[in-house]
Amino acid sequence: MRVLVVEDEKQLAIALKKGLEAEGFAVDVALTGTDGLWMARENDYDLHILDIMLPEVNGYQICATLRDEGVWTPILMLTAKDGEFDEAEALDSGADDYLTKPFSYVVLLARLRALLRRGGRERPAVLESGSLRLDPATRRCWRSETEVKLTAREVSLLEFLLRHENEVVSKREILDHVWDYAFEGSPNIVEVYIKHLRSKIDRPFGLDTIHTVRGSGYRLASDGD
Ligand code: CA
């Protein structure tokens, strides 16, 4: 899942990026409102985290602009002071949730997970496909009753494939959602990770659920398809 953090307090922005990346998110950071709005329009994120008080364009304005333009990506606002006024204004401008600084990291993660589940269509907390189950919140994965150990990046890749079960997803889409904007390595990294996943969730079980679609990308099919 790819997240945009718009926050002008550099230390907080860096801490958020590091923390969320450790949880398997791909994170881009913008330090000004102008950059944040540009990046939000230019890229396809699964979630936006917006500070309210920002140089140039503030968080309310970014939020209202995106909503006006029909961008419905879930938005979590960070408010510096508490008070009903801020909360009301954040929600009025089209944010889905808000958090008052200073916040606990555990609470932030729980809110983000809740927003991702709610975002767009209803999403189950635990993702399933045939005998495969993935709980993105705890990063645990099972094939039938056997638990499969995955790295943070593998969880992120599998989560993306599961959210697009039976659809063909291109390498580019995978790179955009599972790696971040600054990633400049070879797109072949996707093949490498697909191979890792197959060796963990398919091969030991005699299955072949991650199909290569020549010239297009990959498709996760439930077992037996
Ligand atoms: Ca600020």
Side-chain angles (χ1 to χ4, degrees):
M1 297 283 108
R2 192 173 175 191
V3 180
L4 174 65
V5 174
V6 188
E7 168 61 73
D8 62 319
E9 291 173 55
K10 208 171 177 182
Q11 279 184 323
L12 177 57
I14 289 168
L16 279 173
K17 182 174 165 70
K18 279 193 181 156
L20 292 173
E21 280 177 349
E23 297 292 325
F25 290 92
V27 183
D28 291 336
V29 170
L31 296 171
T32 67
T34 312
D35 285 353
L37 186 55
W38 183 82
M39 287 168 86
R41 282 169 161 161
E42 207 64 17
N43 305 301
D44 185 12
Y45 292 99
D46 300 290
L47 201 81
H48 296 141
I49 300 176
L50 300 181
D51 184 25
I52 290 180
M53 300 308 285
L54 289 164
E56 299 156 13
V57 183
N58 71 35
Y60 298 129
Q61 290 167 313
I62 295 175
C63 187
T65 305
L66 292 174
R67 295 312 190 218
D68 280 351
E69 292 176 0
V71 177
W72 294 104
T73 305
I75 292 177
L76 176 79
M77 290 269 222
L78 301 178
T79 69
K81 41 191 174 166
D82 42 355
E84 282 173 354
F85 181 72
D86 279 17
E87 295 161 7
E89 204 165 47
L91 298 176
D92 275 354
S93 65
D96 299 275
D97 202 354
Y98 61 87
L99 207 53
T100 306
K101 293 189 212 172
F103 48 81
S104 120
Y105 193 69
V106 176
V107 172
L108 172 72
L109 275 179
R111 298 284 190 86
L112 294 184
R113 290 289 179 196
L115 280 181
L116 281 172
R117 279 199 300 275
R118 263 201 272 152
R121 47 198 151 140
E122 274 304 307
R123 286 164 176 165
V126 175
L127 299 163
E128 285 187 52
S129 170
S131 61
L132 184 71
R133 275 181 302 139
L134 176 73
D135 183 350
T138 59
R139 290 203 247 151
R140 296 182 71 190
C141 175
W142 299 265
R143 175 66 84 185
S144 299
E145 297 312 310
T146 309
E147 181 159 6
V148 181
K149 293 273 173 229
L150 299 178
T151 64
R153 187 73 77 186
E154 289 162 356
V155 167
S156 198
L157 173 58
L158 184 57
E159 181 179 2
F160 186 72
L161 293 173
L162 280 164
R163 291 195 190 280
H164 296 272
E165 189 189 9
N166 294 318
E167 294 170 26
V168 177
V169 287
S170 69
K171 258 190 221 176
R172 187 72 250 171
E173 287 172 299
I174 293 174
L175 268 183
D176 282 351
H177 287 265
V178 180
W179 277 266
D180 62 37
Y181 185 62
F183 178 77
E184 281 171 357
S186 161
N188 293 335
I189 189 88
V190 175
E191 280 168 42
V192 172
Y193 274 85
I194 290 279
K195 221 167 142 184
H196 289 178
L197 267 186
R198 283 178 174 142
S199 74
K200 290 185 175 183
I201 66 164
D202 277 351
R203 209 159 314 133
F205 306 91
L207 294 166
D208 176 21
T209 62
I210 304 175
H211 300 186
T212 303
V213 182
R214 290 252 165 263
S216 315
Y218 301 95
R219 183 173 66 91
L220 178 85
S222 36
D223 13 348
D225 283 5

